[in-house]
Amino acid sequence: MTTLLTIIVLVFILIAIWQMVKIFDLAQAKTENSQVANDKDNTLNGYLMMGFLAFIYIITIVCVVKWGDLPLLSNAASEHGGTIDNLMIISLVLIFFVQTITQFLLHYFAFKYKGEKGKQAFFFADNNKLEMVWTIIPVIVLAGLIIYGLNTWISITSIDESEDPLVVELYAQQFNWKARYSGADNTLGKANVRLIDIDRANILGLDEADPNAQDDIITTELHLPVGQPVLFKMRSQDVLHSAYMPHFRAQMNCVPGMITQFGFTPTKTTAEMRQTPDIQEKVTRINKIRVENSKPLVAKGEEPLERYEFDYLLICNKICGKSHYNMQMKIVVETQEEYDAWIAEQKEFKNSLIN
């Protein structure tokens, strides 16, 4: 009955609106309602264009002043991170410069050449010099950016295995990460998802007959020694994931059925990164928010929110399902001595199987 009454009310509202529109049209029938803009309309629109240009510039300045501090362009924690940041800064400066000039010309020309009675537009069919200018300049700028970007990418992805990097596998599945260390021989054992045996705790599908797999170490937390090159081999068990480590400027897709790789050298320990001004400011800001949000919880007799502490994170940067947002793994960058002590405490694959 409630649904029927609601439908009836909505129908009457629509009829009322329709009748009001008809009355408005009849009231306007005898007034001049030309669809052709006159000088007054053109002048108004010309000034509105300049007003909108001023609004664009003002809001841009406000955003740069208030939110222009971009910590992810200044706190790279890998050797190649600075190169990525430079490429991003150059791109942003170019975009900002071009946007500022083109927006000014677009709005100013709309104002300067607004329609006026008796004024005839001047135009020319083509201008070879002008077309060469606006074609060659973007070609040169874009070619420079592309070549610089390609050289940067090639230098990052060209992993020198003669440096004997630490080999670690990142294993992605909905909705968690596993890390597999290559053990004392620094060689990962063979693995296949068809070999997964949950009953024997072979959760990554390692080949139990492969000698190289016996000393592999599987963990749910990623520890890396500072200053040591690391080569990541990446697999996915189910869908497309993307291993993204923002502070290391590293990202690579994890594709089912194939192995992808990426490498970098961490340059700052977790403890060192926690002492940087940007991170300390971020931690302080987040904890203030958590304190405020904890007040209603404490009033109800519930536990307050935990204090936030900065950690490097490995996150998934591909929408992989309903819990994608929470697919992350803690990364700890530490000294070689701390890493050696931690890895010595972990179980090797051969000792982790259930008979």
Side-chain angles (χ1 to χ4, degrees):
M1 189 64 181
T2 303
T3 305
L4 178 60
L5 288 173
T6 303
I7 294 172
I8 293 171
V9 169
L10 289 174
V11 169
F12 278 119
I13 290 173
L14 291 173
I15 292 172
I17 293 172
W18 176 52
Q19 292 296 327
M20 288 173 65
V21 170
K22 286 181 66 178
I23 293 170
F24 179 78
D25 288 341
L26 290 171
Q28 296 294 316
K30 293 183 179 181
T31 61
E32 184 181 351
N33 190 21
S34 173
Q35 298 298 312
V36 179
N38 54 34
D39 285 358
K40 183 179 179 182
D41 296 330
N42 291 329
T43 301
L44 174 61
N45 280 291
Y47 281 113
L48 285 174
M49 291 292 280
M50 294 305 293
F52 189 68
L53 175 64
F55 170 76
I56 291 175
Y57 285 161
I58 291 169
I59 202 69
T60 300
I61 293 169
V62 169
C63 289
V64 169
V65 171
K66 192 168 183 179
W67 298 291
D69 183 22
L70 300 174
L72 274 180
L73 290 180
S74 61
N75 59 8
S78 62
E79 280 189 357
H80 74 267
T83 309
I84 295 287
D85 290 351
N86 288 338
L87 182 59
M88 181 64 74
I89 290 169
I90 291 170
S91 299
L92 289 174
V93 169
L94 280 172
I95 291 169
F96 185 79
F97 175 77
V98 172
Q99 187 265 355
T100 302
I101 299 299
T102 55
Q103 289 297 325
F104 172 78
L105 292 175
L106 173 68
H107 290 80
Y108 177 70
F109 275 37
F111 170 75
K112 181 176 176 60
Y113 299 106
K114 60 186 177 291
E116 294 178 7
K117 191 173 182 179
K119 187 176 183 180
Q120 193 170 14
F122 170 75
F123 70 94
F124 43 86
D126 58 72
N127 185 314
N128 293 336
K129 289 183 180 179
L130 186 59
E131 290 181 8
M132 284 182 66
V133 168
W134 72 41
T135 300
I136 291 174
I137 291 177
V139 166
I140 292 173
V141 173
L142 288 174
L145 274 178
I146 291 169
I147 291 169
Y148 180 36
L150 284 174
N151 286 336
T152 301
W153 180 250
I154 290 168
S155 66
I156 291 170
T157 55
S158 298
I159 299 159
D160 187 3
E161 299 198 29
S162 65
E163 296 182 358
D164 193 28
L166 173 66
V167 180
V168 181
E169 178 183 71
L170 296 178
Y171 186 83
Q173 64 183 121
Q174 294 174 313
F175 297 96
N176 64 73
W177 296 93
K178 299 286 191 300
R180 175 162 66 110
Y181 291 83
S182 49
D185 58 5
N186 203 30
T187 302
L188 290 168
K190 296 177 183 177
N192 192 301
V193 292
R194 295 181 178 86
L195 299 177
I196 292 175
D197 187 346
I198 301 300
D199 293 335
R200 286 180 51 75
N202 187 356
I203 56 176
L204 301 191
L206 274 64
D207 185 349
E208 297 179 22
D210 183 4
N212 291 326
Q214 304 308 309
D215 64 347
D216 287 358
I217 296 170
I218 300 170
T219 67
T220 56
E221 193 171 88
L222 182 60
H223 284 241
L224 303 174
V226 68
Q228 169 73 32
V230 184
L231 174 58
F232 293 100
K233 304 284 186 176
M234 304 178 190
R235 284 194 299 148
S236 172
Q237 177 175 307
D238 34 51
V239 299
L240 184 67
H241 299 277
S242 189
Y244 178 42
M245 294 167 271
H247 288 91
F248 303 104
R249 310 301 191 262
Q251 178 170 327
M252 182 60 67
N253 286 347
C254 305
V255 185
M258 66 181 294
I259 295 173
T260 56
Q261 67 177 33
F262 196 97
F264 62 80
T265 302
T267 56
K268 288 183 182 178
T269 66
T270 300
E272 289 171 339
M273 185 59 86
R274 286 174 178 170
Q275 297 306 311
T276 59
D278 286 337
I279 296 301
Q280 288 184 335
E281 182 185 347
K282 173 186 174 181
V283 170
T284 301
R285 185 173 67 252
I286 292 174
N287 280 326
K288 283 182 179 177
I289 295 171
R290 292 195 172 190
V291 167
E292 290 300 315
N293 291 341
S294 292
K295 289 178 180 178
L297 297 177
V298 173
K300 295 177 184 177
E302 299 177 12
E303 290 292 322
L305 297 173
E306 292 182 6
R307 287 185 60 80
Y308 169 74
E309 185 175 44
F310 170 82
D311 280 305
Y312 293 123
L313 291 175
L314 163 62
I315 59 180
C316 180
N317 207 24
K318 283 283 188 293
I319 299 176
C320 56
K322 63 182 180 180
S323 293
H324 155 76
Y325 70 96
N326 202 32
M327 184 173 169
Q328 59 185 28
M329 179 165 67
K330 179 180 174 181
I331 303 174
V332 179
V333 179
E334 54 201 355
T335 64
Q336 187 68 52
E337 293 76 18
E338 291 169 329
Y339 171 79
D340 290 340
W342 175 82
I343 202 72
E345 297 174 351
Q346 310 307 309
K347 273 188 179 182
E348 294 182 343
F349 173 67
K350 62 185 178 184
N351 298 325
S352 65
L353 292 173
I354 299 173
N355 296 320

